[in-house]
Amino acid sequence: MSLFKARDWWSAALGEGEEFDQGCLCVGDVDNSGSGHDKVVVGSYMGMLRIFSPHNSKSSEGGLADVQLLEVQFQNAIIQVEVGKFVSCSELLHLAVLHPRKLSVYSVSGTAGNVEHGDQYQLKLVYEHNLQRTACNMTYGTFGGVTGHHSLCIQSMDGMLMFFEQDSYSFGRFLPGFLLPGPLVYNPRTDTFLTVSSARQLECYKYETLAVATDAESRQDPDLPLKTGGKRLMPDWSLVLGEHALDISVPFFSHSSFHIFVLGERNLYCLRDNGQIRLMKKLEFNPSCFLPYTSVTDGTTNLLLGNHTNMLLVYQDVTLKWAAQLPFVPVALRVANFPELKGVVVSLSSDGHLLCSYMGTDPSFFSTPKVDAREADYEQVDAEMKKLQKFIREASRTQDILPKTDAEEDMSVKVSVFPNMDSPSVHATRVVQASKMTVTVQPPLAVTQDQFLLEPMGIFLFEHVYIFSGVPRVLQSRFSLPLALVCVQSSPAKTTKFKITVDTNQPPVDLNSIFKGNEFSAQSEDKDGNSLAFQFLSGAVVTVLASKTSQRYRIQSDSFENMWLVVKELVQRFDQHFSKLGIKDFKKSFSGPMPLQEYFLAVDHHFQLRVSAQQYQDLLSERAIQFRAIQRRLLTRFKDKTPAPLQNLDTLLDATYSQVISLAEAAEENQALLQEAFVQLRSSTHLLVLLLSLWQNLTPDQTSILEATLLPLLQDTPQLGWEESCDAAVSHLLRSCLSRSPKDQATSLAQTGGPVLGLPRDTVRLKKHITLLCDRIAKGGRLTLASEANVQVPAQVQNLAAPGE
């Protein structure tokens, strides 16, 4: 805690229940008074715009009404306010107000009053732009070196930079590899824009590069080929920060002191205009905002920095010069000049506490009040004691279940209705009640919340509305998660154990254009796009190689099961790529042989863990029975009036307990390995099904039947496992649609039951059936469920299948 506090020069509490953020504060001579004195402009997320001309709190007698020049309520939230020369053919300053879907530029003018009410101020709309995309923040400056007026640049929530030159829209550009918006600032010295991407790196884009890049309106999908003469947008330079940035500032005080300042979550960076780090300060606190405000000596910069411990720190480069205590956590800082005082620090909190302060040296010490040394009045103390005892007796006799409420409620509810409504994502033709949404993903992925209760909260017109109750409905919607969720781009591996080759009938495609875009924005080592590698979170690396001379693609890795996702994504993205190009005869295939031996390794590994789990279960049952038997013996000995010697039963009990704990821990560890093995087996099975469909050109219905046969379970259970379920399903296909003779198919139909499924002794039978399944599919067998109805059942089989008469 600092010894000194920021000296309160003027302060105000703005509204009640309003929220403010970094862009909601700006200072400047917004009314063009010509005196050079600043006004404070504050906008809130509730749409309230206020303009103040602060005076000293001690000398001002009118309070807030005396210093508040203007207050206007807008229908939309105010994201950011800025003061600049935003009107062409005018040297006056104007106010730019950014809403989520609108940019408005106003002129603020004052009229001298002839009565005691003082001057009157008006806010007039000069022009506005309706935005097609939701805005996040904006910056302004002399883009392209144009002097005399300022242009505006708005960053949308989906990564588009929209440029406005006064009352006209110039162009829009999408930032490459965009995920979430970051701070945005313009550097007038180099005519560049600075932002921090979701990859946690500082990126610099030249205005000239943005102007000649591909037009955003003509290229909505970054995966599509270029159709215009524009160039691909690339940053002029980038610097990896490794953390999220709270703010960026490009101050300009003198020709000898010009740098770029970036405030991170844990560090403060000072860069040169070419992206080289000049200095860096590691912060030992959580910062909230900062502001470079002056240059005292050549080559140095003074800056203000606020943190979450209510401190206002003054740094000269990385050296702490002063520290003062604030009454709140600041979210925005500005330095303003007022008629009575120059260099006032203007700070704003998230709940609307606006403070104009200066650095003082008067310490605020706490002095304890003097204690009255008079003698105690024992009669008064005794009377107070009896009064308190009476209150305690009455409170103890009270039998009320609910406490008595005071006249004033302890809690109040305030409702705020936002004027804009989101587009609905759930549509229903009838009134739905007690709706529940469940999100399910396959292991090893997980969700933070898998169930959502959709309460029927809404306002409806009850005319012609009928409620149908008692009829439950279940709707399903499948979606695919991005590949970047489980892997990152890596360097290609040269030597691997497993290899798969996919053939196509089209010329080779640049792999960078297939897999790049919003997911993978890093540059590949292979500039020709012939190789690409992905490293999964488990550490496995999968490499994709494109042949330069033929139409083949090789996928290779040391992990067989991890190749499935990459092969699947490669095939799907090929289909999407050639479909966009209008190629309808695109074909892909797998020439074999089927990697059954590699697949059987995953089957054997999973089976061995299931056998181990069963063995642990049997041993735990035996030790539990032994433990309970010893407990009964000891209990009998202890209850006997003349107890006999324990005969080391206590030692045996401790040893058995230790064995039970060890077996339980081993069984738990084996269960975790079993779940991991099943995930690997499921991925290997998906890969086998995909290769079979490419090998024999199976239809989607046939592929679904094959996938349901080889993956009958989503997970293992103690009662039923994958091996016996898959063996039963494969055996059914071999006896029905893949049978060699109609007689075998009819016999399969006549069999109404079978043995109870259980853990098999080994996997020899299962592997034999899977091999036979692949062989019959290769020889032309049809995977269909409708073929069973077309089989003519022989008479002797009909008698077997007919019910008893």
Side-chain angles (χ1 to χ4, degrees), residues 586-649:
F586 170 69
K587 293 182 180 180
K588 66 273 186 187
S589 61
F590 173 69
S591 57
M594 294 300 298
L596 292 179
Q597 297 303 321
E598 294 83 351
Y599 174 68
F600 290 153
L601 293 177
V603 174
D604 292 335
H605 178 59
H606 177 263
F607 178 75
Q608 291 298 328
L609 290 175
R610 285 193 62 195
V611 172
S612 300
Q614 185 63 40
Q615 292 175 353
Y616 283 127
Q617 186 69 28
D618 296 341
L619 289 175
L620 270 174
S621 300
E622 294 178 1
R623 295 298 182 271
I625 294 174
Q626 178 180 335
F627 187 75
R628 289 191 293 268
I630 298 173
Q631 282 182 323
R632 286 195 296 268
R633 292 280 187 92
L634 285 174
L635 186 60
T636 303
R637 297 285 179 92
F638 292 148
K639 287 184 178 181
D640 195 355
K641 295 182 179 181
T642 57
L646 296 180
Q647 296 179 351
N648 296 326
L649 284 178

Side-chain angles (χ1 to χ4, degrees), residues 286-498:
N286 293 329
S288 60
C289 58
F290 85 132
L291 175 69
Y293 66 94
T294 188
S295 178
V296 179
T297 59
D298 292 341
T300 64
T301 302
N302 285 25
L303 57 92
L304 299 173
L305 197 151
N307 60 22
H308 285 272
T309 59
N310 298 1
M311 295 295 297
L312 180 62
L313 308 176
V314 181
Y315 283 92
Q316 185 175 14
D317 286 344
V318 295
T319 304
L320 181 63
K321 293 295 184 179
W322 192 263
Q325 189 78 24
L326 290 176
F328 51 80
V329 177
V331 296
L333 294 172
R334 298 293 185 270
V335 175
N337 296 324
F338 298 121
E340 302 175 9
L341 186 64
K342 295 183 179 181
V344 178
V345 179
V346 183
S347 54
L348 177 67
S349 69
S350 60
D351 56 355
H353 192 166
L354 182 63
L355 174 65
C356 295
S357 60
Y358 59 92
M359 303 298 171
T361 57
D362 297 332
S364 176
F365 295 107
F366 173 75
S367 59
T368 58
K370 296 182 180 181
V371 180
D372 192 0
R374 61 184 177 88
E375 295 182 0
D377 187 354
Y378 293 102
E379 294 181 358
Q380 183 180 359
V381 172
D382 185 57
E384 185 178 358
M385 184 68 176
K386 291 180 180 180
K387 183 179 180 180
L388 293 176
Q389 289 178 349
K390 181 180 178 181
F391 288 157
I392 294 174
R393 286 194 298 270
E394 291 179 355
S396 61
R397 289 196 302 264
T398 304
Q399 302 295 329
D400 295 340
I401 298 178
L402 296 177
K404 296 181 180 179
T405 59
D406 298 333
E408 183 179 357
E409 295 293 337
D410 296 332
M411 182 178 65
S412 62
V413 178
K414 182 178 180 181
V415 179
S416 300
V417 180
F418 198 72
N420 295 338
M421 295 185 296
D422 297 335
S423 58
S425 57
V426 179
H427 300 270
T429 58
R430 301 176 180 177
V431 177
V432 182
Q433 296 180 347
S435 303
K436 182 183 293 185
M437 182 176 66
T438 303
V439 181
T440 305
V441 295
Q442 295 183 359
L445 299 178
V447 293
T448 56
Q449 184 177 354
D450 58 348
Q451 289 189 355
F452 300 87
L453 184 61
L454 305 180
E455 296 289 348
M457 295 182 61
I459 302 176
F460 302 91
L461 297 178
F462 283 91
E463 183 179 2
H464 303 300
V465 174
Y466 304 94
I467 300 178
F468 297 85
S469 60
V471 183
R473 300 291 180 88
V474 178
L475 302 176
Q476 289 186 352
S477 178
R478 295 180 178 269
F479 57 92
S480 298
L481 297 175
L483 183 62
L485 186 65
V486 294
C487 65
V488 296
Q489 191 173 343
S490 176
S491 300
K494 298 181 180 180
T495 58
T496 55
K497 295 181 181 179
F498 309 108

Side-chain angles (χ1 to χ4, degrees), residues 12 70 92 106 125 190 246 285 411 418 475 609 661 676 692 730 736:
L70 194 65
L92 299 179
Y106 298 93
L125 178 64
T190 58
L246 302 180
F285 47 81
M411 182 178 65
F418 198 72
L475 302 176
L609 290 175
I661 296 299
E676 181 180 354
L692 273 172
V730 173
S736 56

Side-chain angles (χ1 to χ4, degrees), residues 462-610:
F462 283 91
E463 183 179 2
H464 303 300
V465 174
Y466 304 94
I467 300 178
F468 297 85
S469 60
V471 183
R473 300 291 180 88
V474 178
L475 302 176
Q476 289 186 352
S477 178
R478 295 180 178 269
F479 57 92
S480 298
L481 297 175
L483 183 62
L485 186 65
V486 294
C487 65
V488 296
Q489 191 173 343
S490 176
S491 300
K494 298 181 180 180
T495 58
T496 55
K497 295 181 181 179
F498 309 108
K499 299 178 181 180
I500 293 175
T501 303
V502 177
D503 299 332
T504 63
N505 63 342
Q506 296 296 329
V509 181
D510 184 6
L511 296 177
N512 293 327
S513 63
I514 295 295
F515 281 95
K516 293 299 175 66
N518 293 335
E519 289 188 70
F520 303 99
S521 59
Q523 290 293 328
S524 175
E525 296 181 358
D526 186 5
K527 298 182 180 180
D528 297 333
N530 296 325
S531 63
L532 202 62
F534 305 95
Q535 183 176 7
F536 286 82
L537 301 181
S538 60
V541 178
V542 180
T543 305
V544 182
L545 301 175
S547 177
K548 298 181 180 180
T549 57
S550 61
Q551 302 168 356
R552 294 185 174 183
Y553 302 87
R554 172 174 292 179
I555 302 92
Q556 57 187 20
S557 175
D558 289 332
S559 176
F560 180 75
E561 62 275 1
N562 285 321
M563 290 194 295
W564 166 62
L565 275 179
V566 177
V567 177
K568 174 190 173 185
E569 286 288 331
L570 182 66
V571 172
Q572 290 182 351
R573 298 190 185 210
F574 276 164
D575 293 337
Q576 297 174 0
H577 175 74
F578 290 107
S579 176
K580 292 178 181 179
L581 296 179
I583 300 176
K584 299 181 179 180
D585 58 344
F586 170 69
K587 293 182 180 180
K588 66 273 186 187
S589 61
F590 173 69
S591 57
M594 294 300 298
L596 292 179
Q597 297 303 321
E598 294 83 351
Y599 174 68
F600 290 153
L601 293 177
V603 174
D604 292 335
H605 178 59
H606 177 263
F607 178 75
Q608 291 298 328
L609 290 175
R610 285 193 62 195

